[in-house]
Amino acid sequence: MVLDRLQQLAHHVNATTPPPHPFDPLSTSEIDAAVALIRKEHGSLNFNAVTLYEPRKAQMMAWLKDPENAPRPARAADVVAIAPGGKIYDGVVDLDQRKIVEWKHTPNVQPLITMEDLQEVEHIALYCDPWTIGYDERFGTGVRLQQALMYYRPHVDDSQYTYPLDFCPIYNAETKQIIHIDVPSVRRPLNKAPPNNYLPASIEKEGGFRTDIKPIHITQPEGVSFQVKDRIIDWQNWNIHVGFNYREGIVLNNITFNDKGNVRPIFYRLSLAEMVVPYGNPEHPHQRKHAFDLGEYGGGYMTNSLSLGCDCKGAIHYMDAAFVNGAGASTIIKNAICIHEEDAGILFKHTDFRDESMVVTRGRKLIISHIFTAANYEYCVYWIFHQDGTVQLEIKLTGILNTYSLNPGEDTKGWGTEVYPGVNAHNHQHLFCLRVDPNIDGPDNTVFQVDAVRGPGEVGSAENQYGNAFYAKKTKYTTPVESMSDYDGFTTRTWDMANTNKLNPYSKKPVSYKLVSRDVPPLLPKENSLVWKRAGFARHAIHVTKYSDDEIHPAGRHVPQTSGEPSHGLPAWIEAAGSNCSIDNTDVVLWHTFGLTHFPAPEDYPIMPAEPMTLLLRPRNFFTRNPVLDVPPSFSRSPSQVAAGANNCACKKNDGSSVLV
Amino acid sequence: MVLDRLQQLAHHVNATTPPPHPFDPLSTSEIDAAVALIRKEHGSLNFNAVTLYEPRKAQMMAWLKDPENAPRPARAADVVAIAPGGKIYDGVVDLDQRKIVEWKHTPNVQPLITMEDLQEVEHIALYCDPWTIGYDERFGTGVRLQQALMYYRPHVDDSQYTYPLDFCPIYNAETKQIIHIDVPSVRRPLNKAPPNNYLPASIEKEGGFRTDIKPIHITQPEGVSFQVKDRIIDWQNWNIHVGFNYREGIVLNNITFNDKGNVRPIFYRLSLAEMVVPYGNPEHPHQRKHAFDLGEYGGGYMTNSLSLGCDCKGAIHYMDAAFVNGAGASTIIKNAICIHEEDAGILFKHTDFRDESMVVTRGRKLIISHIFTAANYEYCVYWIFHQDGTVQLEIKLTGILNTYSLNPGEDTKGWGTEVYPGVNAHNHQHLFCLRVDPNIDGPDNTVFQVDAVRGPGEVGSAENQYGNAFYAKKTKYTTPVESMSDYDGFTTRTWDMANTNKLNPYSKKPVSYKLVSRDVPPLLPKENSLVWKRAGFARHAIHVTKYSDDEIHPAGRHVPQTSGEPSHGLPAWIEAAGSNCSIDNTDVVLWHTFGLTHFPAPEDYPIMPAEPMTLLLRPRNFFTRNPVLDVPPSFSRSPSQVAAGANNCACKKNDGSSVLV
């Protein structure tokens, strides 16, 4: 141990740059170092992932509390590699000690399909969207497969989604061969409709672009209001470490709020941990279309390099993302993460009608975002921090519908919509899994279900004479099994993550953060269906588990080609934890599945106007008072100022940039 | 008739300004003219409202279709006045013919309480929030009453809401006398806690304002992208008449969308027609706290005069609002309506992974807003138009919680929260009623309930082998009674307003607009409770009625002091229409009740950070294609451009205002 520590210190002393923060993603040199160590010992491999092996929480919490004296968590790499012949290896490399600490063959799994894997298929079968096969019982898990959703392009600049082909080759990624082609019993010849394109050359031909949009300039002449030190952002009392990995994309760690000098922990870790997009057409082989875009492809791997003034406007801070490629070299996506501020409209306002005293204060928000392209589709992920302590997750869905061929006059049978002649866009859901590791004034937290319900007593009774009684019914989840629960629109159900050891001094209620989420459809594939078995996390809107360092991926570590028998991830963990596992006043993780059901329409085609959805994490009984009272008002006047006739005194009205039309 | 027409024409010829648009609110001169005509005939009155008597729809539709030849609807005033002795009169004045066409005494009603009425009480009992009495069975409807929620201010600049008093005087507006004082059995002496203030002088004393927010400037150096002609706005294919009245505030009429040269009607009229705020504390006399802020006070009357750069940023177009005062003089609220544009982030984006062709286009929105102060509370109402045909209604709730006194150590019994020592903020709901008069490619429309449901066939069956089938189940509402329906979170229920006479040429589905609303709690006061009886519109999320010119106010024309026996407004109209009334393929109105349930917390005090809620009206199967493809992209490159190595050709990247940090 002493030797370890010395070695570690020596490493730090020798380094020309300060050591990375333990939450930082691996740098390119760390990726290269990990690959070199593995190659030396295990020879030629195809690298599927080399990512931060996140510090164990117990050690990390100790270090966060006392970075000067507590041992600094080691830097380590979490590695997935495929050996010739298709054997899958999972490993951990200690980068401080420069040694492989774990290396094991994992049978009967398939790690995610990388962009390079997808490109391989593309080279063999022109114009296809290679998808993971999902699961096909004819081929099982042993062979690494992709299904190729086929399209045709009349011209290189035409959108191929107007020309879906009716057959579906199955591709073996190991042998690089087509091993099977699914051909439907009803054949659908190539669509004869003219192209339906969205790129500028086509728009120009159809009459050109509109010319009546005047520019809006958003500028911050004095700079931004946030500070970034390495990967830690400091903004309006918030402090956030911004991580990133190949699967989840943005990971936010150690989120705290400076409450009048008292730095209070709120979340240890926030991420979008998984998602599934089941399609609703029961005809074979469309059941295979239920992409786990994070677990099967990687939201990080598919992340866009962003462009200034296009994806985000204003004063932008970018962060890059580093990955490994199949050959083991480190690669960089430039501008993977966008960090910027936006005006947030009115933060609060009140006018006292009796004396015309008033205050109006404008808000500001900080947005940490990335965008990833999953084959045909785009997900724009915005983590939004508000000054009042609210964290908002907004996701905008855009890109192109997955399409399939339809014969002239053919009935979609309600499973899809003909969005253009010959183009059938199938019904689908986008179900996301938000992983919240709460740290509400400390790690020992409890989750309550909160339902708005009517009070007891019938109309006319002594206790409820006028029938107007209602209250917030709180139900504590004491075990993971108990916590498996659904949304209830009738009670406008919310969930409180509370620290029951600390009561708000005024309300005497536990300090808490409330999850307010309203786009919460159930998983529509039926119980015991293929998707239900594979996407266990999506069976309920809420699961709560006791914290475990290794439970990050709610559909399992390796998602492609899992049969769902048994179900990986959340259902397995909850079963293993057993009915005696307590989640009352301990370190817990809340998993929330939300999203939307999409019945396509022609206005979604040939490219879909962004459809937004959102959820909030709101402080409730956390502060003793509105925490934004000290945000300078845009305009204010007190009763005595009004009485003195000094209407505009002490008021910073317009900042000068707004004008009358 | 010929004489009428001549008279009308003469009036128009004589006028120095062109005649107002028939949808325009009454001008000050029209208000003055109406009052003069009434005074001449009926002597001294207290004027409660003089507002536009809206043109009858049949006549208006004919005129809109052919303004050159169809008779122009007459300008008329809708008048409510109170005669000495408290007799209520409803009248209509034809302003073109300069005569009173209707004047009738309306017994057993009370018109809304105006700001002047409220000020009257304030002068008598210092520091109170005068509310309508709601309904109190001890006093009934005959006498015009207010309840005075009492507060104390230690100092003129202190917020009185920290010092609620426990008694409640009842005020007779006619005699200007206190006729009764409700005193609770449990007395609660004046709060001894120090003030909890939000105005700058207090914040300065507590340490001052934060200094780390750098300005964000939003400028439109080339001007705005909309044109305003009188009260008609033209923007990004939208055309909208912006009206305003004393009750609903903003009224949007004759909303059309120019679909490639074809001007298509979408909505004849949109407004927030009513609201109710029931409080959940069953103890007497808190059951009386269930304000109908629109029907009992008037969202227009309570509208704020807005300040440039405070309430809205950027290039702003304001509209004023004209009303009558009690004495019969016309008055103006300057800058009552704010009209401005905002950047709307990414409108659509797609990258083709195989060739790196891409497009990213930013969106724009147009916002028509007003803010009104209802005693302690503020409602910020934003009608947002998107380029893609979506209309969004966003409401931000801010202002100050209604508070009541609490003894030290007293239990709130779950009916409220102690947000500050001695300050009990009661549970409440904000339930709004959106009135939609659809005109989806014409007035004959049909409303469908749309539920996302699982397909038939068990897992393993031939029709649903993998169990993944799901579809949009559509249920037509054929009668108003059938249409009385609730939100279903499990099916993520939406509602389509469709024109079944016109099918989308591609999808073969009727052209429609979909209501997507997710904040839809039920009315929590019980069936047959006082609030349930009075706020009939809030019993269901949806009611659909056959259009009638006189059905505008879903809780009735005169709301104060209605007992709910019988219920006015929606329930009465639906009962009167009978079970044979067809709403299938005819001129219909959709009424949607939505909102939220608020369990207060200390962070809402002493002034509440704005809490937003939103709903969408989205075109579905209305267009044949994404209608925003011709919005100029921020960045694009086609496959052939990428192949030619010309990455940035034909692309307007950054507009120059965005910068790297």
Side-chain angles (χ1 to χ4, degrees):
Chain A
M1 237 354 244
V2 174
L3 192 68
D4 285 10
R5 182 80 187 128
L6 280 174
Q7 207 168 354
Q8 197 179 329
L9 288 170
H11 171 61
H12 291 155
V13 168
N14 291 337
T16 51
T17 49
H21 190 287
F23 281 139
D24 280 0
L26 296 185
S27 66
T28 52
S29 58
E30 289 175 316
I31 291 170
D32 294 339
V35 168
L37 283 162
I38 291 168
R39 272 223 188 97
K40 208 171 108 189
E41 217 151 303
H42 300 288
S44 174
L45 293 162
N46 183 291
F47 285 86
N48 188 271
V50 176
T51 195
L52 177 69
Y53 181 78
E54 295 189 23
R56 305 298 85 180
K57 190 171 178 181
Q59 197 188 1
M60 188 65 190
M61 293 282 272
W63 183 81
L64 285 169
K65 206 171 175 180
D66 185 8
E68 298 303 314
N69 298 303
R72 188 185 186 94
R75 295 291 288 171
D78 178 346
V79 179
V80 182
I82 307 178
K87 276 180 126 175
I88 311 301
Y89 287 89
D90 284 292
V92 178
V93 178
D94 186 319
L95 292 165
D96 291 342
Q97 304 195 30
R98 309 244 152 202
K99 69 175 192 188
I100 300 169
V101 293
E102 193 179 306
W103 188 256
K104 62 167 195 223
H105 166 53
T106 312
N108 302 319
V109 301
Q110 288 297 344
L112 57 67
I113 306 291
T114 65
M115 296 295 279
E116 284 175 282
D117 292 333
L118 300 176
Q119 293 286 4
E120 283 286 352
V121 185
E122 180 63 19
H123 291 158
I124 289 183
L126 216 61
Y127 300 123
C128 76
D129 280 2
W131 286 32
T132 66
I133 196 163
Y135 178 77
D136 190 314
E137 66 279 16
R138 296 171 298 178
F139 310 112
T141 306
V143 185
R144 188 162 172 78
L145 301 174
Q146 296 177 50
Q147 55 181 325
L149 309 190
M150 301 298 301
Y151 302 94
Y152 172 76
R153 274 192 200 173
H155 177 276
V156 64
D157 285 343
D158 284 335
S159 168
Q160 65 272 14
Y161 295 100
T162 296
Y163 303 98
L165 304 177
D166 68 346
F167 58 94
C168 183
I170 311 291
Y171 172 81
N172 180 329
E174 181 59 30
T175 61
K176 302 189 196 301
Q177 284 174 322
I178 303 291
I179 60 158
H180 181 81
I181 300 178
D182 278 315
V183 181
S185 54
V186 177
R187 293 307 303 268
R188 295 171 181 89
L190 185 64
N191 195 5
K192 290 186 179 56
N196 193 346
N197 293 328
Y198 56 85
L199 286 171
S202 304
I203 306 303
E204 293 289 5
K205 268 186 221 149
E206 294 166 10
F209 290 99
R210 60 184 80 177
T211 55
D212 55 353
I213 309 176
K214 305 282 191 265
I216 288 184
H217 288 176
I218 300 172
T219 54
Q220 295 191 270
E222 298 174 26
V224 296
S225 319
F226 57 86
Q227 292 187 310
V228 186
K229 190 171 173 299
D230 301 323
R231 300 188 72 102
I232 294 175
I233 301 179
D234 206 80
W235 178 82
Q236 296 295 294
N237 298 318
W238 287 106
N239 191 280
I240 308 147
H241 181 280
V242 181
F244 198 87
N245 67 44
Y246 71 107
R247 282 181 76 145
E248 300 163 289
I250 290 170
V251 174
L252 303 175
N253 269 115
N254 198 32
I255 300 169
T256 64
F257 194 95
N258 186 329
D259 182 10
K260 297 184 187 68
N262 180 16
V263 174
R264 299 173 65 183
I266 297 178
F267 300 109
Y268 182 76
R269 191 181 191 277
L270 283 181
S271 71
L272 206 59
E274 190 51 277
M275 60 180 290
V276 64
V277 185
Y279 282 73
N281 188 329
E283 289 159 26
H284 194 275
H286 302 302
Q287 85 283 355
R288 285 198 311 240
K289 292 195 304 193
H290 55 272
F292 294 71
D293 286 311
L294 302 181
E296 290 188 329
Y297 306 91
Y301 277 157
M302 301 188 294
T303 281
N304 295 184
S305 178
L306 301 176
S307 297
L308 191 64
C310 300
D311 298 289
C312 299
K313 273 177 92 93
I316 312 297
H317 181 95
Y318 288 114
M319 288 182 180
D320 301 337
F323 303 115
V324 72
N325 68 12
S330 58
T331 59
I332 287 270
I333 294 179
K334 292 290 292 177
N335 298 353
I337 305 174
C338 169
I339 300 167
H340 77 298
E341 288 179 283
E342 287 183 9
D343 178 84
I346 287 175
L347 179 61
F348 58 82
K349 178 171 190 178
H350 184 59
T351 304
D352 194 302
F353 75 94
R354 60 179 66 68
D355 55 27
E356 297 197 324
S357 65
M358 70 165 292
V359 64
V360 54
T361 301
R362 288 189 78 81
R364 186 68 62 87
K365 52 192 179 184
L366 177 77
I367 302 169
I368 305 171
S369 60
H370 77 127
I371 300 174
F372 60 93
T373 301
N376 51 298
Y377 221 67
E378 258 74 12
Y379 297 97
C380 314
V381 180
Y382 304 92
W383 294 94
I384 306 173
F385 289 79
H386 294 267
Q387 290 163 304
D388 68 358
T390 300
V391 181
Q392 178 182 9
L393 172 60
E394 181 175 80
I395 302 178
K396 276 187 169 183
L397 310 180
T398 178
I400 303 182
L401 293 164
N402 168 266
T403 58
Y404 189 65
S405 49
L406 193 75
N407 278 326
E410 185 182 348
D411 185 1
T412 63
K413 297 180 188 160
W415 311 126
T417 303
E418 191 166 10
V419 294
Y420 186 64
V423 180
N424 187 359
H426 293 162
N427 307 338
H428 55 280
Q429 299 193 283
H430 300 272
L431 299 176
F432 302 89
C433 185
L434 169 71
R435 185 182 182 279
V436 183
D437 185 347
N439 196 17
I440 313 296
D441 276 335
D444 290 341
N445 293 165
T446 307
V447 178
F448 294 85
Q449 171 180 305
V450 184
D451 293 293
V453 298
R454 293 172 177 140
E458 290 313 299
V459 178
S461 67
E463 59 179 335
N464 195 10
Q465 187 171 357
Y466 295 91
N468 65 310
F470 58 87
Y471 69 104
K473 181 181 171 193
K474 303 200 180 187
T475 309
K476 187 202 281 188
Y477 294 147
T478 59
T479 68
V481 170
E482 239 180 63
S483 78
M484 291 158 56
S485 52
D486 302 319
Y487 179 61
D488 187 339
F490 189 77
T491 65
T492 53
R493 182 169 290 168
T494 58
W495 291 271
D496 284 353
M497 290 165 272
N499 187 329
T500 54
N501 309 296
K502 193 174 166 197
L503 302 185
N504 184 294
Y506 299 158
S507 69
K508 315 293 188 300
K509 298 179 185 181
V511 295
S512 69
Y513 258 70
K514 181 182 285 299
L515 169 64
V516 183
S517 181
R518 297 289 176 241
D519 282 307
V520 195
L523 177 71
L524 286 175
K526 292 189 174 174
E527 191 170 339
N528 291 317
S529 68
L530 178 60
V531 179
W532 185 91
K533 287 189 284 188
R534 298 191 69 217
F537 69 89
R539 291 175 202 162
H540 297 285
I542 293 287
H543 294 81
V544 182
T545 55
K546 196 167 156 68
Y547 178 84
S548 164
D549 281 326
D550 294 321
E551 296 178 0
I552 298 284
H553 306 303
R557 176 170 168 90
H558 299 297
V559 179
Q561 294 176 246
T562 50
S563 65
E565 292 176 333
S567 296
H568 292 300
L570 263 176
W573 304 330
I574 289 178
E575 198 183 329
S579 57
N580 289 329
C581 172
S582 170
I583 52 169
D584 183 3
N585 198 19
T586 185
D587 191 358
V588 296
V589 174
L590 178 144
W591 311 80
H592 173 48
T593 299
F594 65 100
L596 50 81
T597 304
H598 192 189
F599 300 112
E603 35 272 274
D604 300 330
Y605 200 71
I607 187 169
M608 200 181 121
E611 186 170 353
M613 88 179 80
T614 200
L615 60 78
L616 302 175
L617 296 161
R618 301 184 70 211
R620 300 308 280 165
N621 301 288
F622 186 80
F623 298 110
T624 52
R625 197 182 190 201
N626 174 339
V628 290
L629 293 177
D630 66 335
V631 175
S634 295
F635 183 78
S636 74
R637 55 185 181 216
S638 67
S640 55
Q641 287 169 330
V642 175
N647 263 3
N648 295 323
C649 57
C651 313
K652 190 189 80 169
K653 260 194 97 162
N654 185 356
D655 65 12
S657 64
S658 293
V659 296
L660 277 177
V661 176
Chain B
M1 240 350 246
V2 173
L3 192 69
D4 284 11
R5 181 81 187 126
L6 280 174
Q7 204 167 358
Q8 197 180 327
L9 287 170
H11 172 60
H12 291 156
V13 168
N14 291 338
T16 51
T17 49
H21 189 287
F23 281 139
D24 281 0
L26 298 185
S27 65
T28 51
S29 59
E30 288 176 317
I31 292 169
D32 294 339
V35 168
L37 283 162
I38 291 167
R39 270 221 190 99
K40 207 171 110 189
E41 217 150 304
H42 300 287
S44 174
L45 293 162
N46 183 291
F47 286 86
N48 187 270
V50 176
T51 195
L52 176 69
Y53 181 77
E54 296 190 22
R56 306 297 87 180
K57 189 171 178 181
Q59 198 188 1
M60 188 64 191
M61 292 284 271
W63 182 81
L64 285 169
K65 206 171 174 181
D66 184 8
E68 298 302 313
N69 299 302
R72 187 185 186 93
R75 294 290 288 171
D78 178 345
V79 179
V80 182
I82 307 177
K87 275 179 126 176
I88 311 300
Y89 288 89
D90 285 290
V92 177
V93 179
D94 185 320
L95 292 165
D96 290 342
Q97 303 195 31
R98 310 244 152 202
K99 69 174 194 190
I100 299 169
V101 292
E102 193 181 305
W103 189 255
K104 62 167 195 222
H105 166 54
T106 311
N108 302 319
V109 301
Q110 288 298 344
L112 57 67
I113 306 291
T114 66
M115 297 294 281
E116 283 175 283
D117 291 334
L118 300 176
Q119 294 285 5
E120 283 286 351
V121 185
E122 180 62 21
H123 291 156
I124 289 183
L126 217 60
Y127 299 122
C128 75
D129 280 2
W131 287 32
T132 67
I133 196 164
Y135 178 76
D136 190 315
E137 66 278 15
R138 296 172 297 178
F139 309 111
T141 307
V143 184
R144 189 161 172 78
L145 300 175
Q146 296 177 49
Q147 55 181 324
L149 309 190
M150 301 298 300
Y151 302 94
Y152 172 76
R153 274 192 200 173
H155 177 275
V156 65
D157 285 344
D158 284 334
S159 168
Q160 66 272 15
Y161 295 99
T162 297
Y163 304 98
L165 303 176
D166 67 346
F167 58 95
C168 183
I170 311 290
Y171 172 81
N172 180 330
E174 181 59 30
T175 62
K176 302 189 196 301
Q177 284 174 322
I178 303 290
I179 61 158
H180 181 81
I181 299 178
D182 278 314
V183 181
S185 54
V186 178
R187 293 308 302 267
R188 296 172 181 89
L190 184 63
N191 195 4
K192 291 185 177 56
N196 192 346
N197 294 328
Y198 56 85
L199 286 172
S202 303
I203 305 302
E204 294 289 5
K205 267 186 224 149
E206 294 167 10
F209 290 99
R210 60 184 81 177
T211 55
D212 55 353
I213 310 175
K214 305 281 189 266
I216 287 184
H217 287 175
I218 299 172
T219 54
Q220 295 191 270
E222 299 174 26
V224 296
S225 320
F226 58 85
Q227 291 187 311
V228 187
K229 191 170 173 298
D230 301 323
R231 300 187 72 101
I232 294 175
I233 302 180
D234 206 81
W235 178 83
Q236 297 294 295
N237 299 318
W238 287 106
N239 190 279
I240 307 147
H241 181 281
V242 182
F244 198 88
N245 68 44
Y246 70 107
R247 281 180 77 145
E248 300 163 288
I250 290 171
V251 174
L252 302 176
N253 268 116
N254 198 32
I255 299 169
T256 64
F257 194 95
N258 186 330
D259 181 12
K260 297 183 187 70
N262 181 16
V263 174
R264 299 173 64 185
I266 296 178
F267 300 109
Y268 181 77
R269 190 181 192 277
L270 284 181
S271 72
L272 206 59
E274 189 52 277
M275 61 179 289
V276 64
V277 185
Y279 282 74
N281 188 330
E283 288 158 27
H284 193 276
H286 302 302
Q287 85 283 355
R288 284 197 313 241
K289 292 195 302 191
H290 56 272
F292 294 70
D293 286 311
L294 302 181
E296 290 188 329
Y297 305 92
Y301 277 158
M302 301 188 294
T303 281
N304 294 183
S305 179
L306 301 176
S307 296
L308 191 64
C310 300
D311 298 290
C312 299
K313 272 178 91 94
I316 311 296
H317 181 96
Y318 289 114
M319 289 181 179
D320 301 338
F323 304 115
V324 72
N325 68 12
S330 57
T331 59
I332 288 269
I333 294 180
K334 292 290 291 177
N335 299 352
I337 305 174
C338 169
I339 299 167
H340 77 298
E341 289 180 282
E342 287 183 10
D343 178 84
I346 288 176
L347 180 60
F348 58 83
K349 179 171 190 178
H350 183 59
T351 304
D352 194 303
F353 74 94
R354 61 179 67 68
D355 54 28
E356 297 198 323
S357 65
M358 71 165 291
V359 64
V360 53
T361 301
R362 287 190 79 81
R364 187 68 62 86
K365 51 193 181 184
L366 177 78
I367 303 169
I368 305 170
S369 60
H370 77 125
I371 299 173
F372 60 92
T373 301
N376 51 299
Y377 221 66
E378 258 74 11
Y379 298 96
C380 312
V381 180
Y382 304 92
W383 296 92
I384 306 173
F385 288 80
H386 294 267
Q387 290 164 304
D388 68 357
T390 300
V391 181
Q392 178 182 9
L393 171 60
E394 181 174 80
I395 302 178
K396 276 187 170 183
L397 310 180
T398 178
I400 303 183
L401 293 163
N402 168 267
T403 58
Y404 189 64
S405 50
L406 193 76
N407 278 327
E410 185 182 349
D411 184 1
T412 63
K413 297 179 187 160
W415 312 125
T417 302
E418 190 166 11
V419 294
Y420 185 65
V423 179
N424 186 0
H426 293 162
N427 307 339
H428 55 281
Q429 299 192 283
H430 300 271
L431 299 176
F432 302 90
C433 185
L434 169 71
R435 184 182 183 279
V436 182
D437 185 348
N439 196 16
I440 314 296
D441 276 334
D444 290 341
N445 293 164
T446 308
V447 178
F448 294 85
Q449 171 180 305
V450 184
D451 293 292
V453 298
R454 293 172 177 142
E458 290 314 298
V459 177
S461 66
E463 60 180 333
N464 195 8
Q465 188 171 355
Y466 296 92
N468 64 310
F470 57 87
Y471 69 104
K473 182 181 170 192
K474 303 201 179 186
T475 308
K476 186 201 281 187
Y477 294 148
T478 60
T479 67
V481 171
E482 240 181 61
S483 78
M484 290 159 56
S485 52
D486 302 318
Y487 179 61
D488 187 339
F490 188 77
T491 65
T492 52
R493 182 169 289 169
T494 57
W495 291 270
D496 284 352
M497 290 165 270
N499 186 329
T500 54
N501 309 296
K502 194 174 165 197
L503 303 185
N504 184 294
Y506 298 157
S507 69
K508 315 293 188 300
K509 299 179 184 181
V511 296
S512 70
Y513 258 69
K514 181 182 285 298
L515 168 63
V516 183
S517 181
R518 298 290 177 240
D519 282 307
V520 194
L523 176 71
L524 286 175
K526 293 190 174 174
E527 191 169 339
N528 292 317
S529 68
L530 178 60
V531 180
W532 186 91
K533 288 189 284 189
R534 298 190 70 219
F537 69 88
R539 292 174 201 163
H540 298 284
I542 293 288
H543 295 80
V544 182
T545 56
K546 195 166 155 70
Y547 178 83
S548 164
D549 280 327
D550 294 321
E551 297 178 0
I552 298 284
H553 305 304
R557 177 170 168 90
H558 299 297
V559 179
Q561 293 174 250
T562 50
S563 65
E565 292 177 333
S567 295
H568 292 298
L570 264 175
W573 303 331
I574 290 177
E575 197 183 330
S579 56
N580 289 329
C581 172
S582 170
I583 51 169
D584 183 1
N585 198 19
T586 185
D587 191 358
V588 296
V589 174
L590 178 143
W591 311 80
H592 173 48
T593 299
F594 65 100
L596 50 81
T597 305
H598 192 187
F599 300 113
E603 35 271 274
D604 301 330
Y605 201 71
I607 186 168
M608 200 180 121
E611 185 170 353
M613 88 179 79
T614 199
L615 60 79
L616 302 175
L617 297 160
R618 300 184 69 212
R620 300 309 279 166
N621 301 288
F622 186 80
F623 297 111
T624 52
R625 199 183 190 201
N626 174 338
V628 289
L629 293 178
D630 66 335
V631 174
S634 295
F635 183 77
S636 74
R637 58 185 177 215
S638 66
S640 55
Q641 287 169 332
V642 175
N647 263 1
N648 294 323
C649 56
C651 313
K652 190 190 78 171
K653 261 193 96 159
N654 184 356
D655 66 10
S657 64
S658 292
V659 295
L660 278 178
V661 176

